[in-house]
């Protein structure tokens, strides 16, 4: 069993930056594909970014490409999401998730993830 805890959310002005962290416990996540998802008020949860187990392959939703960067430190059992040039439409609860799969199409989908954190709220003011 993998437990995931997100942190780093908060209130930020448009154009600002935040760094989210996802700390894993229970077992090492070094063999898991990892992803960040988000859910805005009144909307469905959506994929944001994914990373393979070695950290040498990453992929992003078009809406965040060029502004967000996902990374991981397997020695610390932690995954990060660096968010820059934030926009009000980035406001959402951000979730970290782990997948036993390394296949990109799987890690882009909610159903492809095996473990979820409880989320951290990011609010971007205009």
């Amino acid at each position: 069993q993998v437990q995931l805890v997100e942190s780093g959310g908060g209130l930020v002005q448009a154009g600002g930056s935040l760094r989210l962290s996802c700390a894993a416990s229970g077992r090492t996540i070094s063999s898991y594909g990892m992803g960040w998802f988000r859910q805005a008020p009144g909307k469905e949860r959506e994929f944001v970014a994914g990373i393979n187990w070695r950290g040498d392959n990453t992929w992003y939703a078009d809406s965040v490409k060029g502004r967000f960067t996902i990374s991981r430190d397997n020695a610390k059992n932690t995954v990060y999401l660096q968010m820059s040039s934030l926009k009000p439409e980035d406001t959402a609860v951000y979730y970290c998730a782990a997948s036993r799969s390394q296949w990109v199409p799987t890690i882009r989908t909610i159903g492809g993830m095996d473990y979820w954190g409880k989320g951290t709220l990011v609010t971007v003011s205009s």
Side-chain angles (χ1 to χ4, degrees):
Q1 195 78 0
V2 175
Q3 291 82 43
L4 302 171
V5 178
E6 303 93 338
S7 62
L11 175 63
V12 63
Q13 288 189 331
S17 299
L18 277 177
R19 188 196 198 200
L20 305 184
S21 298
C22 171
S25 62
R27 60 172 58 183
T28 177
I29 57 169
S30 59
S31 63
Y32 286 79
M34 299 296 296
W36 285 95
F37 293 74
R38 68 185 181 186
Q39 188 166 15
K43 295 188 177 181
E44 294 186 349
R45 193 171 300 188
E46 65 177 3
F47 168 77
V48 175
I51 188 167
N52 71 336
W53 68 278
R54 288 188 302 190
D56 59 358
N57 188 21
T58 58
W59 51 97
Y60 301 90
D62 288 343
S63 58
V64 307
K65 201 171 295 183
R67 300 188 298 120
F68 290 11
T69 302
I70 187 172
S71 61
R72 67 190 299 161
D73 185 338
N74 286 338
K76 294 183 178 180
N77 229 23
T78 301
V79 179
Y80 305 96
L81 185 68
Q82 177 68 48
M83 306 185 295
S84 303
S85 302
L86 283 161
K87 305 175 182 180
E89 51 263 42
D90 294 319
T91 295
V93 176
Y94 283 72
Y95 298 90
C96 174
S99 175
R100 296 185 184 91
S101 173
Q102 297 296 327
W103 198 38
V104 172
T106 296
I107 303 175
R108 294 185 73 98
T109 63
I110 294 172
M113 311 309 288
D114 298 295
Y115 302 101
W116 291 86
K118 293 184 178 181
T120 185
L121 177 62
V122 172
T123 303
V124 184
S125 63
S126 58

